[in-house]
Amino acid sequence: MTTATTGTRTSTKGFTGTSHTRVEGREKVTGAARYAGEIPFADLAHGWLVLSTVARGRIRSVDTAPVLARPGVLAVLHHQNAPRVETDYVGMLGVPDPTCAVFQHDRVPHLGWPVALVVAETSEQAREAAETLVVHYEQEPHDIDFSAARADAHPVDGYMPAVAEKGDLDAELAASHAVVDEEYTTPEEHHAMMEPHAATARWDGGRLELVDSNQGTTWVVGELAKMFSLDPASVRVRSEHVGGGFGSKGVRAHQVAAVMAATVLQRPVRVVMTRRQMFSLTGYRSPTAQRVRLGADADGRLRALDHSSVNLTSAVHDFVESAAGPARVMYDADAHHTANRVVRLNVPTPTFMRAPGEAPGSFALESALDELAEKCGLDPIELRLRNEPERGPVSGLPFSSRNLPACFREGARRFGWADRDPRPGVRREGRWLLGTGTAGASFGAGAGPSTAVATAEPDGTFTVRIAAADIGTGARTALTLIAADALEVSPDRIKVRIGDSDFGPAMIAGGSMGTRSWAWAVMTAATELRERLALGADIPPEGITVRSDTTAALGALAQKERHSFGAQFAEVAVDVTTGEVRVRRMLGIFAAGRIVNPLTARSQLVGGMTWGISMALHEEAVRDRATGGLYGADLAGYHVATHADVPFVEADWVDDPDPDDPVGIKGIGEIGIVGAAAAIANAVWHATGVRHRDLPIRPDRVLQSLPGEPHA
């Protein structure tokens, strides 16, 4: 870090890239930081959602009279009396999911569909009344049977084209020296963030205000304005602190219901979801059924790559879990085919979940690569290095940077890969079989247009305002460091304010694009402000303010393949008597652009890798065919990795600044989970000699695969 003197002002450079504790950390650990469900409002009423108890059918009637007679109850909204909303529009992320447009008709497409909102003076009164509301249904047969073999599976474009293909696949497979043709499955998984979804809506002087827990106030403003036919300028959304999102905290039923109730009652209304309601209404990762076919020549070079994925979606909205997407980036082949298809069923709509597409897709692809390495007699890392593409395998575009080989080489050195005996099932400690595995990872490095405002205050401090969303990632702190460097001052002179749509449009916290998008806007505004101050202008009482907008700069970027990359390594121990799989250690080495704050960045990467352990060994939401609902829709019945499951996880990175980004950022939110489950599954094969192509790798599945071992 260097220090220089400019006039009467001391400037400090070089904070970006150094570890810094969270600027809001003290507020959070002392309870001073208030989340969406905790902020007080005068005359606040409380709404409680009522969800359907059938998986398909129609609402015949809603018995509201007994509920309205209960103490404190103010209203019961349902399809016969709720305000009408607009759904025929295209929002920031496409056509809206009709699940958000609550109480618009009498149809029920899945169990847990919102059918009413009970509003009362207290949360307790609302809940008790909601639990007594009787809704009569005309029930119809439902269908939740998901499989890749369904004839109604059809290709759907998501955030990438459904199908991409080049070359003669059959011919290249026939000419291949080694062929892998296998099917892989991943189960339904849920976000399960700590803070539940909560929103408070009120009208203030003809303007709608929503205090919410979301991943982008600009996004929520746009959706609510379109739904309720409002001028976006007449809608304000605030979301200062968010206790986790992972892709789930967009526009949901509770926000729309709160706005409806506030409109009807003309007083503030808060709606907070229960944990069980979140399992029905806030999205999840769809199960996938994937087929991967690989063909290679005698040297291990890919001649054919075919990755086909099927996921389920709801009967009312298409959501694509683009699991075939990673293949379009990771490896090239003479014949290259990928496809994403969906099946419509009577289930809630899935949504984006940390590393959407890449997390389940990398499990199938990287497991298949491991199987191909075995057939070719090659080390798994060597096989991957032999298939490094020079350009985008499908797009043909150049990579902005691609340091995946450096990740594998550094990871192999630190993990001790050279000492690995490639033969499976030969390492043993008593009843434990030991094995190691690896996998590659990638995730797109995008950016969205954003605006930021930087103000030089008369007291010598600086205020940065941007409608960013810190969902626990440390974005507020990263932006503080970036602003400090751009202004050439110490971070303690910077105050970053976020989570308010009045600050101007900004990108959402999603797709690993948040910090990259916001940093660009903050650096632009802060740099211009510093240049204006260098001219010696006096600072008036209201300060000197500069506003930036990155729309034009992003539009001028040359087309390239922009991605973060990584190499995952895992060592596992498999108990042959119980079937238990223990991850003893994990190492992830990533090429994820310039790292702004190593302290919080490492936490993000380790968090993703830990979720990969959870994905590989624990997480599995199971639906009851009879009801269409989930077994154990709570944190007691839905198993996730805990501290005891994570003995040693290490994350690090190689130097990899993006040359086209003013800060050099790529994005780290998602890359940590990509490839993690595959590395663990590959390690289980190395330990046991048995491939597990279905997640999670449960003890019963392990025991069934080891018939020759003595079992307890």
Coordinates of all heavy atoms in Angstrom, one line a residue, residues 249-294:
K249 N -34.7 -14.6 -4.0 CA -35.3 -13.3 -3.5 C -35.5 -12.3 -4.6 O -34.8 -11.3 -4.7 CB -34.6 -12.7 -2.3 CG -34.9 -13.6 -1.0 CD -34.3 -13.0 0.2 CE -34.7 -13.8 1.4 NZ -34.0 -13.4 2.6
G250 N -36.5 -12.7 -5.5 CA -36.9 -11.8 -6.5 C -38.3 -11.3 -6.2 O -38.5 -10.8 -5.1
V251 N -39.2 -11.3 -7.2 CA -40.6 -10.9 -7.0 C -41.4 -12.2 -6.7 O -41.5 -13.1 -7.5 CB -41.1 -10.2 -8.2 CG1 -42.5 -9.8 -7.9 CG2 -40.2 -8.9 -8.5
R252 N -42.0 -12.2 -5.5 CA -42.7 -13.4 -5.0 C -44.2 -13.0 -4.6 O -44.5 -11.8 -4.6 CB -42.0 -14.0 -3.9 CG -40.6 -14.5 -4.2 CD -40.6 -15.7 -5.1 NE -39.3 -16.0 -5.6 CZ -39.1 -16.9 -6.6 NH1 -40.1 -17.4 -7.3 NH2 -37.8 -17.1 -7.0
A253 N -44.9 -14.0 -4.2 CA -46.3 -13.8 -3.9 C -46.5 -12.8 -2.7 O -47.5 -12.1 -2.6 CB -47.0 -15.1 -3.6
H254 N -45.6 -12.9 -1.7 CA -45.8 -12.1 -0.5 C -45.7 -10.6 -0.7 O -46.5 -9.8 -0.1 CB -44.8 -12.5 0.6 CG -43.4 -12.2 0.2 ND1 -42.7 -12.7 -0.8 CD2 -42.5 -11.3 0.8 CE1 -41.5 -12.2 -0.9 NE2 -41.4 -11.4 0.1
Q255 N -44.9 -10.2 -1.7 CA -44.8 -8.7 -2.0 C -46.1 -8.2 -2.6 O -46.6 -7.2 -2.3 CB -43.6 -8.4 -2.9 CG -42.2 -8.8 -2.2 CD -41.4 -9.5 -3.2 OE1 -41.8 -10.5 -3.8 NE2 -40.1 -9.1 -3.3
V256 N -46.5 -9.0 -3.6 CA -47.7 -8.6 -4.3 C -48.9 -8.6 -3.4 O -49.8 -7.7 -3.4 CB -48.0 -9.5 -5.5 CG1 -49.3 -9.2 -6.3 CG2 -46.8 -9.5 -6.5
A257 N -49.0 -9.6 -2.6 CA -50.1 -9.7 -1.6 C -50.1 -8.5 -0.6 O -51.1 -8.0 -0.3 CB -50.1 -11.0 -0.9
A258 N -48.9 -8.2 -0.2 CA -48.8 -7.0 0.7 C -49.2 -5.7 0.1 O -49.9 -4.9 0.7 CB -47.3 -6.9 1.2
V259 N -48.9 -5.5 -1.2 CA -49.3 -4.3 -1.9 C -50.8 -4.3 -2.1 O -51.5 -3.3 -1.9 CB -48.6 -4.2 -3.3 CG1 -49.2 -3.1 -4.1 CG2 -47.1 -4.0 -3.1
M260 N -51.4 -5.5 -2.4 CA -52.8 -5.5 -2.5 C -53.5 -5.1 -1.2 O -54.5 -4.3 -1.2 CB -53.2 -6.9 -2.9 CG -52.9 -7.3 -4.3 SD -53.5 -9.0 -4.6 CE -53.2 -9.2 -6.4
A261 N -53.0 -5.7 -0.1 CA -53.7 -5.4 1.2 C -53.5 -4.0 1.6 O -54.4 -3.4 2.1 CB -53.1 -6.4 2.2
A262 N -52.3 -3.4 1.4 CA -52.1 -2.0 1.7 C -53.0 -1.1 0.9 O -53.4 -0.1 1.4 CB -50.6 -1.7 1.5
T263 N -53.3 -1.5 -0.3 CA -54.1 -0.7 -1.2 C -55.6 -0.8 -0.7 O -56.3 0.2 -0.7 CB -54.0 -1.3 -2.7 OG1 -52.7 -1.2 -3.1 CG2 -54.9 -0.5 -3.6
V264 N -56.0 -2.0 -0.4 CA -57.4 -2.1 0.1 C -57.6 -1.4 1.5 O -58.6 -0.8 1.7 CB -57.7 -3.6 0.2 CG1 -59.1 -3.8 0.9 CG2 -57.8 -4.2 -1.2
L265 N -56.7 -1.6 2.4 CA -56.9 -1.1 3.7 C -56.3 0.3 4.0 O -56.6 0.9 5.0 CB -56.2 -2.1 4.7 CG -56.7 -3.5 4.8 CD1 -55.9 -4.3 5.7 CD2 -58.2 -3.5 5.3
Q266 N -55.5 0.8 3.0 CA -54.9 2.1 3.1 C -54.1 2.3 4.5 O -54.2 3.3 5.2 CB -55.9 3.2 3.0 CG -56.4 3.4 1.5 CD -55.3 3.8 0.6 OE1 -54.6 4.8 0.7 NE2 -55.0 2.9 -0.4
R267 N -53.3 1.2 4.8 CA -52.4 1.3 5.9 C -51.3 0.3 5.7 O -51.4 -0.6 4.8 CB -53.2 0.9 7.2 CG -53.8 -0.5 7.2 CD -54.6 -0.7 8.5 NE -53.8 -0.9 9.7 CZ -54.3 -1.3 10.9 NH1 -55.6 -1.5 11.0 NH2 -53.5 -1.5 11.9
P268 N -50.2 0.4 6.3 CA -49.1 -0.5 6.1 C -49.4 -2.0 6.4 O -50.1 -2.2 7.4 CB -48.0 0.0 7.0 CG -48.3 1.4 7.3 CD -49.8 1.4 7.3
V269 N -49.0 -2.9 5.5 CA -49.3 -4.3 5.7 C -48.0 -5.1 5.5 O -47.3 -4.9 4.5 CB -50.3 -4.8 4.8 CG1 -50.5 -6.4 5.0 CG2 -51.7 -4.1 5.0
R270 N -47.7 -5.9 6.5 CA -46.5 -6.8 6.4 C -46.9 -8.2 6.1 O -47.8 -8.7 6.8 CB -45.6 -6.6 7.6 CG -44.4 -7.6 7.7 CD -43.5 -7.3 8.9 NE -42.9 -6.0 8.7 CZ -42.4 -5.2 9.7 NH1 -42.5 -5.7 10.9 NH2 -41.9 -4.1 9.4
V271 N -46.2 -8.9 5.2 CA -46.4 -10.3 5.0 C -45.0 -11.0 5.1 O -44.1 -10.6 4.4 CB -47.0 -10.6 3.6 CG1 -47.2 -12.1 3.4 CG2 -48.3 -9.9 3.4
V272 N -44.9 -12.0 6.0 CA -43.7 -12.7 6.2 C -44.0 -14.2 6.0 O -45.0 -14.7 6.5 CB -43.1 -12.6 7.6 CG1 -41.9 -13.4 7.8 CG2 -42.9 -11.1 7.9
M273 N -43.3 -14.9 5.2 CA -43.5 -16.3 4.9 C -42.9 -17.2 6.0 O -41.9 -16.8 6.6 CB -42.9 -16.7 3.6 CG -43.5 -16.2 2.4 SD -43.0 -17.1 0.9 CE -43.6 -16.0 -0.4
T274 N -43.6 -18.3 6.3 CA -43.1 -19.3 7.2 C -42.1 -20.1 6.4 O -42.0 -20.1 5.1 CB -44.2 -20.2 7.7 OG1 -44.7 -21.0 6.6 CG2 -45.3 -19.4 8.4
R275 N -41.3 -20.9 7.1 CA -40.3 -21.7 6.4 C -41.0 -22.7 5.5 O -40.6 -23.0 4.4 CB -39.5 -22.5 7.5 CG -38.4 -23.3 6.9 CD -37.3 -22.6 6.2 NE -36.6 -21.6 7.0 CZ -35.6 -20.8 6.6 NH1 -35.2 -20.9 5.3 NH2 -35.0 -20.0 7.4
R276 N -42.1 -23.3 6.0 CA -42.8 -24.3 5.1 C -43.4 -23.6 3.9 O -43.4 -24.2 2.8 CB -43.9 -25.0 6.0 CG -43.4 -25.9 7.1 CD -44.5 -26.7 7.7 NE -45.0 -27.7 6.8 CZ -44.5 -28.9 6.7 NH1 -43.5 -29.3 7.4 NH2 -45.1 -29.8 5.8
Q277 N -43.9 -22.4 4.0 CA -44.4 -21.7 2.9 C -43.3 -21.4 1.8 O -43.6 -21.5 0.6 CB -45.1 -20.4 3.3 CG -46.4 -20.6 4.0 CD -47.0 -19.3 4.5 OE1 -46.2 -18.3 4.7 NE2 -48.2 -19.3 4.9
M278 N -42.1 -21.2 2.3 CA -41.0 -20.9 1.4 C -40.7 -22.1 0.5 O -40.3 -22.0 -0.6 CB -39.8 -20.5 2.2 CG -39.9 -19.1 2.8 SD -38.6 -18.8 4.1 CE -37.1 -19.0 3.2
F279 N -41.0 -23.3 1.0 CA -40.7 -24.5 0.2 C -41.7 -24.6 -1.0 O -41.5 -25.4 -1.9 CB -40.8 -25.8 1.1 CG -39.5 -26.1 1.8 CD1 -39.2 -25.5 2.9 CD2 -38.7 -27.1 1.3 CE1 -38.0 -25.8 3.6 CE2 -37.5 -27.4 1.9 CZ -37.1 -26.8 3.1
S280 N -42.8 -23.9 -0.9 CA -43.8 -23.9 -2.0 C -43.7 -22.7 -2.9 O -44.1 -22.7 -4.1 CB -45.2 -24.0 -1.4 OG -45.4 -25.2 -0.7
L281 N -43.3 -21.5 -2.3 CA -43.6 -20.2 -3.0 C -42.3 -19.5 -3.4 O -42.5 -18.4 -4.0 CB -44.4 -19.3 -2.1 CG -45.9 -19.8 -1.9 CD1 -46.6 -18.8 -1.0 CD2 -46.6 -19.9 -3.3
T282 N -41.1 -19.9 -3.1 CA -40.0 -19.1 -3.3 C -39.0 -19.7 -4.3 O -37.8 -19.3 -4.4 CB -39.3 -18.7 -2.0 OG1 -38.8 -19.9 -1.4 CG2 -40.2 -18.0 -1.1
G283 N -39.4 -20.8 -5.0 CA -38.6 -21.4 -6.0 C -37.6 -22.4 -5.4 O -37.5 -22.5 -4.2
Y284 N -37.0 -23.1 -6.2 CA -36.0 -24.2 -5.8 C -35.3 -24.6 -7.1 O -35.6 -24.2 -8.2 CB -36.8 -25.4 -5.2 CG -37.9 -25.9 -6.2 CD1 -37.7 -27.0 -7.0 CD2 -39.2 -25.3 -6.3 CE1 -38.6 -27.5 -7.9 CE2 -40.1 -25.8 -7.1 CZ -39.9 -26.9 -7.9 OH -40.8 -27.3 -8.8
R285 N -34.3 -25.5 -6.9 CA -33.6 -26.1 -8.0 C -34.3 -27.3 -8.5 O -34.6 -28.2 -7.7 CB -32.2 -26.4 -7.7 CG -31.3 -26.6 -9.0 CD -30.0 -27.3 -8.7 NE -29.1 -26.7 -7.8 CZ -28.3 -25.7 -7.9 NH1 -28.4 -25.0 -9.1 NH2 -27.5 -25.2 -7.0
S286 N -34.7 -27.3 -9.8 CA -35.4 -28.4 -10.3 C -34.5 -29.7 -10.3 O -33.3 -29.6 -10.5 CB -35.8 -28.1 -11.8 OG -36.3 -29.3 -12.4
P287 N -35.1 -30.9 -10.2 CA -34.4 -32.1 -10.4 C -34.0 -32.1 -11.9 O -34.7 -31.5 -12.8 CB -35.4 -33.2 -10.1 CG -36.7 -32.6 -10.2 CD -36.5 -31.1 -9.8
T288 N -32.9 -32.8 -12.2 CA -32.5 -32.9 -13.6 C -32.2 -34.4 -13.9 O -31.8 -35.2 -13.0 CB -31.2 -32.2 -13.9 OG1 -30.1 -32.7 -13.2 CG2 -31.3 -30.7 -13.5
A289 N -32.5 -34.8 -15.2 CA -32.1 -36.1 -15.7 C -31.2 -35.7 -16.9 O -31.7 -35.1 -17.9 CB -33.3 -36.9 -16.1
Q290 N -30.0 -36.1 -16.9 CA -29.0 -35.7 -17.9 C -28.3 -37.0 -18.5 O -28.0 -37.9 -17.8 CB -27.9 -34.9 -17.3 CG -28.4 -33.6 -16.6 CD -27.3 -32.9 -15.9 OE1 -26.4 -32.5 -16.5 NE2 -27.5 -32.6 -14.6
R291 N -28.2 -36.9 -19.8 CA -27.5 -37.9 -20.6 C -26.2 -37.3 -21.2 O -26.3 -36.2 -21.9 CB -28.3 -38.6 -21.7 CG -27.6 -39.7 -22.4 CD -28.4 -40.2 -23.6 NE -27.8 -41.3 -24.2 CZ -28.2 -41.9 -25.4 NH1 -29.3 -41.3 -26.0 NH2 -27.6 -42.9 -25.9
V292 N -25.1 -37.9 -20.9 CA -23.8 -37.4 -21.5 C -23.2 -38.5 -22.3 O -23.0 -39.6 -21.8 CB -22.8 -36.9 -20.4 CG1 -21.5 -36.4 -21.0 CG2 -23.5 -35.8 -19.5
R293 N -22.9 -38.1 -23.6 CA -22.1 -39.1 -24.4 C -20.8 -38.4 -24.9 O -20.9 -37.3 -25.4 CB -23.0 -39.4 -25.7 CG -24.2 -40.3 -25.3 CD -24.9 -40.8 -26.6 NE -25.5 -39.8 -27.4 CZ -25.9 -40.0 -28.6 NH1 -25.8 -41.2 -29.2 NH2 -26.5 -39.0 -29.3
L294 N -19.7 -39.0 -24.6 CA -18.4 -38.5 -25.0 C -17.7 -39.6 -25.8 O -17.8 -40.8 -25.5 CB -17.6 -38.2 -23.7 CG -18.2 -37.3 -22.7 CD1 -17.2 -37.2 -21.5 CD2 -18.4 -35.9 -23.3

